[in-house]
Amino acid sequence: MSKLWKVRLSGKGGQGLITASIVLADAAIRFGKNAVQTQSYGPESRGGACRGEVIISDQNIYYPKISHPNLLVCMSDTAVKTHAGFLAGDGILIIDETLVTQTRPIKSQFYKVPITGLCREKLGQDIYANMVVLGAIIRITEVVPENVVLETFQDYFSLEMLETNLQAFTIGLKAGEKAIKRFGEFSA
Amino acid sequence: MSKLWKVRLSGKGGQGLITASIVLADAAIRFGKNAVQTQSYGPESRGGACRGEVIISDQNIYYPKISHPNLLVCMSDTAVKTHAGFLAGDGILIIDETLVTQTRPIKSQFYKVPITGLCREKLGQDIYANMVVLGAIIRITEVVPENVVLETFQDYFSLEMLETNLQAFTIGLKAGEKAIKRFGEFSA
Amino acid sequence: MAKGKHKLHFDREKCKACGICIAFCPANVFTVDIDYCAVISSPDKCTGCRRCELYCPDYCIFVEEDYYG
Amino acid sequence: MAKGKHKLHFDREKCKACGICIAFCPANVFTVDIDYCAVISSPDKCTGCRRCELYCPDYCIFVEEDYYG
Amino acid sequence: MVKPKLMQGNECCALGALAAGVRFFAGYPITPSTEIAEIFSKELPKLGGVFMQMEDEIASLAAVIGASLTGKKAITATSGPGFSLMQENLGFAAVAEVPCVIVNVMRLGPSTGMPTLPAQSDVMQARWGTHGDHSVIALAPSSVKEAFCLTVRAVNLAERYRVPVVLLMDEVIGHLRERVVFQPDEKVVQWERKQCLNPKSSQPFEETADGIPPFFSFGGEYRHHVTGLVHDESGFPTSQREGISRLIRRLHYKITQHLSDIVQVEEFFVDDADVLIIAYGSTARSAQAAVVRAREEGKKAGLLRLITLWPFPEKEVSTAAVNKKAVIVPEMNMGQLALEVARVLPDKNLLFPINRVDGELVTPDEILSVMGRIY
Amino acid sequence: MVKPKLMQGNECCALGALAAGVRFFAGYPITPSTEIAEIFSKELPKLGGVFMQMEDEIASLAAVIGASLTGKKAITATSGPGFSLMQENLGFAAVAEVPCVIVNVMRLGPSTGMPTLPAQSDVMQARWGTHGDHSVIALAPSSVKEAFCLTVRAVNLAERYRVPVVLLMDEVIGHLRERVVFQPDEKVVQWERKQCLNPKSSQPFEETADGIPPFFSFGGEYRHHVTGLVHDESGFPTSQREGISRLIRRLHYKITQHLSDIVQVEEFFVDDADVLIIAYGSTARSAQAAVVRAREEGKKAGLLRLITLWPFPEKEVSTAAVNKKAVIVPEMNMGQLALEVARVLPDKNLLFPINRVDGELVTPDEILSVMGRIY
Amino acid sequence: MCAVYHKYLRLDHLPHIWCPGCGNGIVMGAFIRAMEDLKYDQNEVVVVSGIGCSGRISGYLDFNTLHTTHGRALAFATGIKAAEPRLKIFVFMGDGDATAIGGNHLIHACRRNIDMTAIIINNCTFGMTGGQFSPMTPKGKKASTAPYGTVERNFDIPALAQAAGATLVARVGIYQVNLLRELIVKASHHKGFALLEVISQCPVNYGRRNQMGDPAEMLEDQKGIIKSAGLGQGLENYFGQIFQSEQPEFIEEYNKMIVQAQKKGGCDV
Amino acid sequence: MCAVYHKYLRLDHLPHIWCPGCGNGIVMGAFIRAMEDLKYDQNEVVVVSGIGCSGRISGYLDFNTLHTTHGRALAFATGIKAAEPRLKIFVFMGDGDATAIGGNHLIHACRRNIDMTAIIINNCTFGMTGGQFSPMTPKGKKASTAPYGTVERNFDIPALAQAAGATLVARVGIYQVNLLRELIVKASHHKGFALLEVISQCPVNYGRRNQMGDPAEMLEDQKGIIKSAGLGQGLENYFGQIFQSEQPEFIEEYNKMIVQAQKKGGCDV
Ligand SMILES: Cc1ncc(C[n+]2csc(CCOP(=O)(O)OP(=O)(O)O)c2C)c(N)n1
Ligand SMILES: Cc1ncc(C[n+]2csc(CCOP(=O)(O)OP(=O)(O)O)c2C)c(N)n1
Ligand code: SF4
Ligand code: SF4
Ligand code: SF4
Ligand code: SF4
Ligand code: SF4
Ligand code: SF4
Ligand SMILES: [Mg+2]
Ligand SMILES: [Mg+2]
């Protein structure tokens, strides 16, 4: 029986984290896992606190919410403030180095990825940051094989959008790679 | 302890029977009795089945409805058909001879009064028939003294209307008188 | 073909005594009975204008045209 | 009395990077920073028309008139 | 003694409201409540008050809430269909804690039903008609005089607890005319809203000891914000979990904390009774008649008359039911308050509901006949 | 096996309706139900069906009823505030016996409340929200797949019993995405309305053996009259006492007579359980998780999951409760269905409600901790 | 009663509940005669009505008939028409029904220009509930809730409907029975939402309270009523005049959209 | 932020929840500047709003503020004004709020001509719920519930309001910020019901779906939007133009009635 993943992607409305969580859940299901995805957001249609969550398991998933994620991605300072404390003891924390000012390790498994920065730099726009996140997650956790994620992309993006999202995903994979290498620096 | 009266005035909407029942109840209260008045009518604003009911008592009146009246006035054929069967054994039945085709005695105490006919004949209009009814009732039952009823009139009719209503009431008193005299004819 | 007379059909049962036909008949065909219901008193005066039929809210009156009976 | 200059006050905290002031300023006073927020790049070009202030949906900009500072 | 008068339930309801200080009415005509509006239309202008006939019942309750926010005592009156339409705004009054009274003169049937016939079928609706968790008080008069007194009380409770209060009058009481006596020493006591005295130290939706926040009125000295969104003590929307829970719970506790002030019942030969009738509104009169007749026949019957229907007089009902051989609940519906009684009774087999849904008042005979079967 | 899919509760609800044969939707957008309307707006035109966005929720249910009268299967979807506005017309559907489904994706609070947060606080409203006595069926899905199946079932029940059926979905289920598998042999069974075959020998509101009158459709071969007034078997208004009573009672009996067809519950380790949890909707999932963990710890916990909420599964609840040491009822409200459970339980002291009203799902931990305290 | 009445009336439900001299009967008579002209299959006609005295009309007419909730007739009718476009729809409403509680559905039916004929029987009062004032009670008139005379202004119904988007609007009095019949025919032939305001009379709950004489007198007085009921915004005082325009009709537009949608490919259910 | 903002905004509740480039902020700015001109005592002003993005405006403004139920703002406001006529009332509604669910209260407020200023922020969509079409979404535009483009016609709000009885009506775009400010002042000085339709923008849920460019582009495009939003019944295309008439105002008429009633003698309570 493989690992039970409780993934929380947290940040602000408009960052596309809910979409990222949906793609992740879908990929997990294609990969033969069980998965549930939930989300929560405020009344603001942009910029308010927002999160997407995914549980991935081989078992039935009854309770669909996550109290203590074992993989937390934070894409804003507020997200770190709100959620970092709930990370499970052995949990992984990934922060967007570009947006989060708190970049000192606060958990044993602490990965810094300049998600939004890379996205801007390589793709000229922030809006693909969510797929960069996804790439980083996949590389760091290997919860779902890359090719299954790529397959999943077909269903979520129109032909025009597919290309750039794939690029973003690849950027994320590489960034994840790098983060793993840098991981030593921070390990407590 | 004086008699418990359960009075039902039945006929059609537009005949003013509800008003008559209200005036009767009010007069009874002025006379120091206890009284409740209820009514029932159909969706038709004119011409539908309609009734006004009054209970007059020296006691508390809890249940305010009447199942078996001991004084029933019927101002239409339908009223006779619907209500005559419910008259209490010792009850009094008064019918409007003008409007009711069934004029053969159907109860021991059976009074025929040409209410609407008299009203038309003497006052040129039907709309005062309700006060003719009231006059007849008062004379036949003596449930409330005449003068108390007359006093009550002041509160219910504007100065213009008072006169004719008083006339109608007096016509009713006389007609009641006459009906009592004719009563012998019908007694079973 | 010669035009027949107008025959007035009237249903006393349905009449609610509103007085409209009486007031509206240009030929004074109607009077009232003791219940204020309409009564066709002068059928011969009828011009066949059908106002009584069209305005009667209770469809008591029907003006039959070209009646040869 | 001589008219003073226009002084632009800008609150970066509040800016939501909508781009309106940038597009609407007739004098090209603004550019954007890395977050696409407005930046007052050429304050001296400002004509004091107040378009930026009036159209900014987040009240980030205030054009102080007659500023002698 | 003051001269007794023949008065109607609906009339007494309107006059009670005026006596309680109501100076604003907004409504939309509907049988069998219309007389209430008609009386207000005549009397309010004389008192300098406002009578408004709105475009519908939704607008009516909205206007009443608006008026109440300025500090005026305000009321509306309707019947089933209109009451259904008022549900959303009733929830607004509950969550924004705006005092107001809604008179529902109950008629028969869902939808248009039977407009002129009586029923008691909106009892559960008064409690549960709007979405979300909320608190509400509902009272049911059994006599014309009580229509006056309970309207006064409804207004007072609304003001004191900052809640919508529903006066559930059935058509029988609404249209009943009977002898009403006002004693010369009878005074109408008016309860006033707790006012905000110092906006520095108090907040418009604050968690006070008694659960009731002080009232800030529009046009008064302090400005504040009123919303139908879940809000914090200052009145502004919140999405803080504790804040949300605190508000929803307080809306309940501010009522349940004060049951002794709110709940009223009347006992009629209850103590030594073997058979207990629990009734309200006009059916309670049938029950009274039945008790009197049963006692005449030597049967120990008693009546617990519920004056407050919501919050449900749980304690009073269970206490009164102790050692009774049977509990009869006559209602002009398919059995609504009987469900609550069943919940509270230790043994459900003791419960005998009597239900009429034909537009006739349950008769004393029916009650006596059920009593005869069980006792 | 068919490929499993990630699907959302709201999505499955809309697709279930289409699979059940629904070809008419009228609604007004409201969080958190809007996805349902959005899917219909996309899919219905493809199927030649009708999607209408009406001016408000009152009009939405009115249009749905109108469409249903032509024989089409019709549905609407809303949340609390809209559901409150629909109450009058819901009563119309009940009394005129017009099949229709109302999906209420429940959110928190009265009035505007907390539009994006889940609750289960319209449970009582689904039963009692409209005035007058009426019948209604309400179902609550606990999973995304069940959102599909129960929508099909809601449509079927509406058609078979000629009643408004309320699908009470909470926001957690409505917005949840999870793995859904449709087996290749899985068929969607459609129940059809009993049709009038011979208007000479049958009447549109007649008292049949099963309580359900045959349906005459507008634009069909027979003309008839439909009214919200109390009517006789021919459909025309009546004020005959027996006729009135007969209609109102039949509206009840046509449901209560068929409980075995309508009521569904699911047992999860109930038989040997010492502690019984009774739950529905998303809280039932927390309960399942709690049962699994309790069993792991050797505690005999079980869950009775209510799928049908109304008519209340009285028999099933009382049977399941026999010999249990405690009954826990977790809800995202102040305790609504717990009141019904209390009514049915022989001993109210066994009842332990767990209530959350902060927009969070009750957690398995909370249930386990209550369990720990009592067992 | 002539044959046409026999054909279109449910004779076993007569006499109707309306008071002596009530305008509702006159409107229903004109409607029946318009049906004679239109010659529709009765099974293909739906008559929808609201709640009020006027709302009772649906019970007497031998078509598919629907007596809805107060004010909602047009919303129910919209559902019927959209679900089964071949049906011919006639919607009867009282002035209270259509312009007080039902005002929103009225303007939206106008805006959608959905193909049906709506008839507002404007007797200037809430007849059924006993004569409270309605949005159409002329200012200053007495009503059971306006003992001192009403203070509110009125709608000019055709002007309102036209501004809301109705593509055929007219006002006619019951006095003009033949014109009424013609307008019903014309409205039904019109493609789009057609609205007729029929000035009617409630001798019992409105006329009597305002000393307007007997039903015949009220009938004669109609022109005056129409004048005072107008808001004076240009459209007032037209009496039988009719405004008609051609605009996209809802069902037609919807069907075009269906064609569009179906091109895009099937649903996966 | 200049002093006037400090005075009239509840600074501790900012930043507002509106998206970047949302028109609501621009309208609120103009309103604040109009308040500067009007110089009312803040305690004597009530701002009422409906539900929607635009409805959130009441929370940010430092007056007596009321955030009502969806569509009912004018009905709540009517109660406030009638109960306390000295208060100055401003009512903000979205296009969905005012013309979809709230249409009936809108036309009745117009008819009563009750003294208040209503502002409809028309962004052509239901912004808050994610961009469904509203009665004001121009035909053919896409919306989350109109994936193939909308098929329904729109209201011409000023024309509708005028026909319903409003005595001051105008349409203005947020582009015309200064005119908007002036019109608010003028509307508030007007005795009677004043209605301003403000053409605004929802770049996120409407603009993006319809490829209308960034907020600045949308702002520039305003005149076009106004054109297509008109029903073409004469009043279209006026942009800042204002129609004003004098008619009896509700509160004044009611007060006259009170005088009348009080002459008739007291109530016996
Ligand atoms: C929701 C609701 N509110 C109120 C009523 C009561 N009611 C019945 S008919 C009516 C008004 C009737 O006036 P109108 O529509 O002009 O019809 P009329 O009787 O004059 O023909 C009212 C207010 C109702 N049935 N439903
Ligand atoms: C009774 C009810 N129905 C539906 C909703 C959901 N809802 C909230 S805002 C809104 C529409 C918003 O559109 P609009 O009024 O144009 O305001 P905007 O967000 O565009 O400013 C809707 C449908 C609600 N809150 N209440
Ligand atoms: S048809 Fe004309 S003339 Fe003849 S009776 Fe009728 S109204 Fe009179
Ligand atoms: S118009 Fe008709 S109802 Fe009226 S009096 Fe003449 S026949 Fe009778
Ligand atoms: S207009 Fe305002 S919010 Fe927009 S970019 Fe400029 S300063 Fe920022
Ligand atoms: S005031 Fe005018 S010129 Fe100056 S920065 Fe603003 S927009 Fe540009
Ligand atoms: S009350 Fe008026 S509208 Fe109603 S039936 Fe009588 S006359 Fe006609
Ligand atoms: S969704 Fe649209 S209307 Fe709402 S805040 Fe965002 S841009 Fe403004
Ligand atoms: Mg009318
Ligand atoms: Mg909008």
Side-chain angles (χ1 to χ4, degrees), chain E residues 78-259:
Chain E
T78 188
S79 184
F83 193 52
S84 288
L85 290 171
M86 287 180 183
Q87 291 304 328
E88 191 196 7
N89 281 340
L90 190 150
F92 184 93
V95 81
E97 301 181 74
V98 186
C100 57
V101 174
I102 301 153
V103 180
N104 175 359
V105 187
M106 292 181 283
R107 66 193 221 183
L108 189 144
S111 190
T112 313
M114 288 298 304
T116 57
L117 296 187
Q120 297 176 315
S121 47
D122 307 346
V123 169
M124 289 303 252
Q125 186 191 22
R127 174 69 190 89
W128 301 111
T130 195
H131 61 283
D133 289 286
H134 64 292
S135 63
V136 78
I137 296 174
L139 314 176
S142 286
S143 71
V144 172
K145 173 78 187 279
E146 203 176 43
F148 183 96
C149 302
L150 282 194
T151 308
V152 171
R153 190 167 159 77
V155 173
N156 282 343
L157 287 168
E159 297 290 319
R160 176 170 289 177
Y161 294 104
R162 289 185 61 176
V163 276
V165 174
V166 181
L167 189 78
L168 279 176
M169 189 145 73
D170 56 63
E171 186 273 351
V172 175
I173 303 300
H175 278 161
L176 184 67
R177 284 187 183 81
E178 70 181 339
R179 189 164 167 271
V180 174
V181 188
F182 288 97
Q183 302 302 338
D185 58 345
E186 208 170 317
K187 273 216 196 69
V188 171
V189 182
Q190 294 189 8
W191 296 353
E192 305 298 336
R193 305 180 193 178
K194 187 198 283 184
Q195 297 289 335
C196 164
L197 299 174
N198 182 352
K200 297 255 146 55
S201 61
S202 71
Q203 297 200 83
F205 297 93
E206 91 186 22
E207 187 116 22
T208 56
D210 63 4
I212 308 146
F215 186 80
F216 288 57
S217 66
F218 281 5
E221 289 168 65
Y222 324 116
R223 299 186 292 280
H224 74 307
H225 184 57
V226 177
T227 177
L229 282 167
V230 171
H231 43 268
D232 61 19
E233 301 187 36
S234 74
F236 289 90
T238 181
S239 48
Q240 293 292 311
R241 295 305 187 254
E242 319 79 66
I244 296 170
S245 182
R246 207 181 309 131
L247 175 71
I248 304 286
R249 289 179 188 276
R250 184 171 59 72
L251 294 182
H252 278 72
Y253 297 152
K254 75 172 177 176
I255 297 300
T256 52
Q257 212 178 315
H258 298 280
L259 292 182

Side-chain angles (χ1 to χ4, degrees), chain D residues 14 16 18 55 57-59 62, chain H residues 1-2 16 18 21 25 28 175:
Chain D
K14 295 217 211 82
K16 287 184 184 156
C18 72
Y55 287 114
D58 288 85
Y59 324 128
F62 168 45
Chain H
M1 208 190 276
C2 66
H16 53 60
W18 299 316
M28 187 160 79
Y175 187 87

Side-chain angles (χ1 to χ4, degrees), chain F residues 1-29:
Chain F
M1 205 191 80
V2 176
K3 228 171 67 181
K5 270 188 164 186
L6 181 74
M7 294 182 84
Q8 196 191 33
N10 280 347
E11 180 189 5
C12 268
C13 169
L15 297 180
L18 294 173
V22 166
R23 289 298 175 271
F24 188 96
F25 174 94
Y28 188 78

Side-chain angles (χ1 to χ4, degrees), chain F residues 28-31 34 37-39 41-43 45-46 51-58 85 111-112, chain H residues 51 68-70 72 96-97 99-102 126 128-130 132-134 144-148 152:
Chain F
Y28 188 78
I30 186 165
T31 308
T34 312
E38 289 170 348
I39 293 164
S41 75
K42 190 154 162 255
E43 303 302 337
K46 294 191 205 158
F51 168 85
M52 289 206 71
Q53 190 175 297
M54 297 297 289
E55 52 273 24
D56 63 13
E57 288 88 349
I58 298 173
L85 290 171
S111 191
T112 313
Chain H
I51 297 294
T68 64
T69 43
H70 186 41
R72 318 301 173 190
D97 207 51
T99 73
I101 194 168
F126 288 2
M128 172 136 280
T129 43
Q132 296 76 33
F133 67 91
S134 93
S144 83
T145 46
Y148 313 108
E152 298 194 9

